[in-house]
Amino acid sequence: LEELFPIEEEVRLLKQYLLELTNFEFEAKALNENSELIPVKLICSKINDKENWRYLIAIEDLRDKKRLQEQIIGQENLVLLGELSAGISHEIGNIISIIKANARYSLKKHDIEGYKEAMQIIYEQSHRGIEFIKKLKQLARAEESIRSEIKIK
């Protein structure tokens, strides 16, 4: 066991399970033919052949499964990022649109030069904010376009 499973704690648990349990599944790290540590799942059954106990152990390579899980998590994170971007851009966009509309109205109605200058700054900055929001929305749409089906064996 120690040659196949170099992690001491996993070997200890595996030996304990083999002694105490009849059937069990166990995930561990094992060495493959290239001496690389890979994730595996052991499916073990203890069989009594009337004279003594024997063990039937199937080992499943979990590399592809783990890789797919990581891809799914990555895609879920991209979807969440897109949803977050869309929500942020919507909320901030509404606020900035209101500020911009009020600034535009104030610019048309007041002739005081200092007031007009302040309103012009508010108007320009709100326009800048709206452009930023448009970019956030584009990011959200780009994240949505990444979604695709994954076929799991």
Side-chain angles (χ1 to χ4, degrees), residues 103 107 115-127:
L107 281 170
Y115 187 78
K116 280 185 90 169
E117 186 178 326
M119 286 296 108
Q120 184 64 38
I121 291 169
I122 291 171
Y123 181 79
E124 289 169 2
Q125 290 302 309
S126 61
H127 180 72

Side-chain angles (χ1 to χ4, degrees), residues 20-72:
E20 296 174 3
L21 302 173
T22 306
N23 298 301
F24 66 93
E25 293 183 3
F26 183 77
E27 285 194 20
K29 301 270 190 223
L31 292 173
N32 68 3
E33 62 277 359
N34 298 325
S35 297
E36 299 169 326
L37 206 55
I38 63 167
V40 295
K41 177 180 181 180
L42 286 88
I43 303 160
C44 305
S45 293
K46 192 187 267 188
I47 303 166
N48 186 345
D49 70 359
K50 296 184 183 176
E51 293 179 22
N52 53 27
W53 288 98
R54 297 186 187 270
Y55 299 96
L56 176 63
I57 302 174
I59 300 175
E60 177 185 0
D61 184 341
L62 295 178
R63 285 180 290 186
D64 289 338
K65 183 178 177 181
K66 298 284 185 187
R67 203 173 300 123
L68 285 173
Q69 286 173 338
E70 288 171 7
Q71 286 177 349
I72 290 168

Side-chain angles (χ1 to χ4, degrees), residues 51-117:
E51 293 179 22
N52 53 27
W53 288 98
R54 297 186 187 270
Y55 299 96
L56 176 63
I57 302 174
I59 300 175
E60 177 185 0
D61 184 341
L62 295 178
R63 285 180 290 186
D64 289 338
K65 183 178 177 181
K66 298 284 185 187
R67 203 173 300 123
L68 285 173
Q69 286 173 338
E70 288 171 7
Q71 286 177 349
I72 290 168
I73 289 169
Q75 288 181 346
E76 288 172 350
N77 287 341
L78 289 175
V79 169
L80 289 174
L81 178 62
E83 290 171 359
L84 179 64
S85 299
I88 290 170
S89 63
H90 176 76
E91 290 301 317
I92 294 174
N94 286 344
I95 294 166
I96 293 175
S97 293
I98 292 167
I99 293 169
K100 184 177 180 180
N102 283 297
R104 182 182 294 152
Y105 174 77
S106 295
L107 281 170
K108 291 179 182 178
K109 294 292 181 184
H110 296 86
D111 290 331
I112 303 169
E113 195 56 41
Y115 187 78
K116 280 185 90 169
E117 186 178 326

